[in-house]
Amino acid sequence: MLKAQGGVYYFLSSDGDTFQIQTQAPLQSSWDFNTSRGISASIRSRFEKTFLGITDSVINIGLSNGDSILISKNYGILHVHPFLPIYNAGTHIDYINDRIEGRLNLWGIDELIGENFPSFEEVFDHEIGDKFIKDYTFDGRHNFSYSFFRVLHKYTGLSPDSIGYQMEVERLRYGQTQNAYGYTGHGEYDTLDQYYLRSDWY
């Protein structure tokens, strides 16, 4: 996101597409929200709204495609439809749109009120005996593998910015044979040390 003067914000996609929000525009005046899709925006109303037990000034921005955005003066976006369906409309990954239901709503403010994302320590707080599974697909759709992890030991005395575990790993790999309807598989067993760094989490 880029912030410009006059309450203008630009949200940039990885492909260089831009979504523009103007928070200080006059009521009913319009601007180009997304030029590549021909979507315009305008401020429909300004009012006070209570959310998460907080009351603040809010603007309601309407989009020409029928969506809307609610923005709080002091706490940012409260309600927005994901930009992904707009950006992907008519592309080869348009099917993703069917998986996005409803809208995104503010559900917490870190260390202040509402829900919060789990901390580094909470996410990687494994216990001895905990089990995890990962699955991978590679070489198209015809080869895949599963990895099963079991916590054997938790390392203590590390720095506050790292957490370490000893893991038992079982890897099962499957590959398509010459027979299009048959698969063969084999397992690998190993023990490894797994470290998580705070710098990789934030």
Side-chain angles (χ1 to χ4, degrees):
M1 183 193 75
L2 298 178
K3 180 180 180 181
Q5 294 182 346
V8 178
Y9 297 84
Y10 298 95
F11 295 83
L12 309 179
S13 73
S14 59
D15 289 341
D17 206 359
T18 302
F19 303 89
Q20 180 186 164
I21 291 178
Q22 297 186 16
T23 60
Q24 298 178 16
L27 285 176
Q28 306 305 325
S29 64
S30 62
W31 68 89
D32 291 329
F33 173 74
N34 180 250
T35 55
S36 65
R37 302 297 174 190
I39 300 175
S40 62
S42 64
I43 294 183
R44 293 173 177 168
S45 59
R46 290 185 169 92
F47 56 95
E48 284 196 344
K49 179 179 176 62
T50 300
F51 54 93
L52 301 177
I54 301 172
T55 300
D56 196 22
S57 298
V58 172
I59 59 174
N60 177 14
I61 297 176
L63 304 182
S64 59
N65 67 349
D67 292 329
S68 62
I69 303 173
L70 293 183
I71 302 179
S72 162
K73 179 179 180 180
N74 295 299
Y75 300 100
I77 294 176
L78 303 180
H79 170 95
V80 64
H81 194 282
F83 292 167
L84 185 63
I86 297 174
Y87 181 64
N88 288 333
T91 70
H92 65 286
I93 52 175
D94 201 26
Y95 71 91
I96 293 179
N97 301 351
D98 297 332
R99 301 182 182 183
I100 301 178
E101 300 179 358
R103 286 159 172 75
L104 305 178
N105 296 286
L106 180 70
W107 60 295
I109 302 171
D110 283 347
E111 301 180 0
L112 181 61
I113 197 169
E115 301 293 335
N116 290 279
F117 287 108
S119 67
F120 171 71
E121 291 81 5
E122 291 172 329
V123 170
F124 299 110
D125 184 24
H126 306 335
E127 300 293 339
I128 294 176
D130 284 353
K131 298 179 180 180
F132 307 90
I133 182 172
K134 291 183 179 180
D135 66 274
Y136 309 87
T137 301
F138 52 96
D139 188 21
R141 299 181 178 180
H142 305 300
N143 295 280
F144 52 94
S145 69
Y146 296 93
S147 294
F148 300 88
F149 298 83
R150 184 169 66 91
V151 178
L152 299 178
H153 177 72
K154 181 176 182 177
Y155 293 112
T156 59
L158 301 176
S159 74
D161 295 323
S162 64
I163 299 175
Y165 298 93
Q166 184 183 63
M167 302 272 197
E168 177 187 70
V169 185
E170 178 185 4
R171 298 183 180 90
L172 300 178
R173 301 178 184 272
Y174 295 85
Q176 189 175 24
T177 64
Q178 292 181 351
N179 181 349
Y181 300 98
Y183 286 85
T184 59
H186 64 277
E188 300 175 357
Y189 299 87
D190 198 2
T191 300
L192 58 81
D193 291 335
Q194 177 70 55
Y195 294 93
Y196 304 103
L197 303 179
R198 188 184 302 273
S199 59
D200 295 333
W201 177 243
Y202 295 104

Short mmCIF file of all heavy atoms in Angstrom, two decimals, residues 142 175-184:
data_model
loop_
_atom_site.label_atom_id
_atom_site.label_comp_id
_atom_site.label_asym_id
_atom_site.label_seq_id
_atom_site.Cartn_x
_atom_site.Cartn_y
_atom_site.Cartn_z
N HIS A 142 1.06 -36.33 -11.13
CA HIS A 142 1.26 -37.77 -11.11
C HIS A 142 2.25 -38.24 -10.05
O HIS A 142 2.47 -39.44 -9.91
CB HIS A 142 1.74 -38.23 -12.50
CG HIS A 142 0.82 -37.82 -13.60
ND1 HIS A 142 -0.50 -38.22 -13.66
CD2 HIS A 142 1.02 -37.03 -14.69
CE1 HIS A 142 -1.06 -37.70 -14.74
NE2 HIS A 142 -0.17 -36.98 -15.37
N GLY A 175 4.71 -42.47 -7.01
CA GLY A 175 4.94 -42.06 -8.39
C GLY A 175 4.17 -42.94 -9.34
O GLY A 175 4.00 -44.14 -9.10
N GLN A 176 3.74 -42.36 -10.44
CA GLN A 176 2.98 -43.11 -11.43
C GLN A 176 3.90 -44.06 -12.19
O GLN A 176 5.00 -43.70 -12.60
CB GLN A 176 2.31 -42.16 -12.41
CG GLN A 176 1.32 -42.85 -13.33
CD GLN A 176 0.59 -41.84 -14.21
OE1 GLN A 176 1.09 -40.76 -14.44
NE2 GLN A 176 -0.59 -42.21 -14.67
N THR A 177 3.45 -45.27 -12.37
CA THR A 177 4.21 -46.27 -13.13
C THR A 177 3.84 -46.16 -14.61
O THR A 177 3.05 -45.32 -15.03
CB THR A 177 3.89 -47.68 -12.63
OG1 THR A 177 2.52 -47.96 -12.88
CG2 THR A 177 4.19 -47.79 -11.14
N GLN A 178 4.39 -47.04 -15.42
CA GLN A 178 4.05 -47.06 -16.84
C GLN A 178 2.58 -47.38 -17.05
O GLN A 178 1.98 -46.97 -18.03
CB GLN A 178 4.93 -48.07 -17.57
CG GLN A 178 6.39 -47.66 -17.63
CD GLN A 178 7.24 -48.67 -18.39
OE1 GLN A 178 6.77 -49.75 -18.73
NE2 GLN A 178 8.47 -48.30 -18.65
N ASN A 179 2.04 -48.12 -16.12
CA ASN A 179 0.61 -48.39 -16.15
C ASN A 179 -0.11 -47.14 -15.66
O ASN A 179 0.05 -46.71 -14.53
CB ASN A 179 0.29 -49.57 -15.24
CG ASN A 179 -1.20 -49.91 -15.25
OD1 ASN A 179 -2.01 -49.14 -15.75
ND2 ASN A 179 -1.53 -51.04 -14.67
N ALA A 180 -0.89 -46.52 -16.50
CA ALA A 180 -1.51 -45.24 -16.17
C ALA A 180 -2.42 -45.32 -14.96
O ALA A 180 -2.75 -44.30 -14.36
CB ALA A 180 -2.29 -44.71 -17.38
N TYR A 181 -2.84 -46.56 -14.59
CA TYR A 181 -3.78 -46.69 -13.49
C TYR A 181 -3.13 -47.22 -12.22
O TYR A 181 -3.81 -47.45 -11.24
CB TYR A 181 -4.94 -47.61 -13.90
CG TYR A 181 -5.70 -47.10 -15.08
CD1 TYR A 181 -5.43 -47.60 -16.36
CD2 TYR A 181 -6.66 -46.12 -14.94
CE1 TYR A 181 -6.12 -47.11 -17.46
CE2 TYR A 181 -7.36 -45.63 -16.04
CZ TYR A 181 -7.09 -46.14 -17.29
OH TYR A 181 -7.77 -45.66 -18.38
N GLY A 182 -1.81 -47.39 -12.22
CA GLY A 182 -1.16 -47.96 -11.05
C GLY A 182 -0.14 -47.01 -10.46
O GLY A 182 0.48 -46.21 -11.15
N TYR A 183 0.05 -47.08 -9.14
CA TYR A 183 1.01 -46.25 -8.45
C TYR A 183 1.88 -47.13 -7.56
O TYR A 183 1.43 -48.14 -7.03
CB TYR A 183 0.32 -45.19 -7.58
CG TYR A 183 -0.30 -44.07 -8.37
CD1 TYR A 183 -1.58 -44.21 -8.90
CD2 TYR A 183 0.37 -42.88 -8.60
CE1 TYR A 183 -2.17 -43.19 -9.63
CE2 TYR A 183 -0.19 -41.85 -9.33
CZ TYR A 183 -1.46 -42.00 -9.84
OH TYR A 183 -2.03 -41.00 -10.57
N THR A 184 3.14 -46.75 -7.43
CA THR A 184 4.03 -47.42 -6.50
C THR A 184 4.49 -46.42 -5.46
O THR A 184 4.54 -45.21 -5.72
CB THR A 184 5.27 -47.98 -7.24
OG1 THR A 184 5.96 -46.90 -7.87
CG2 THR A 184 4.86 -49.00 -8.29
#
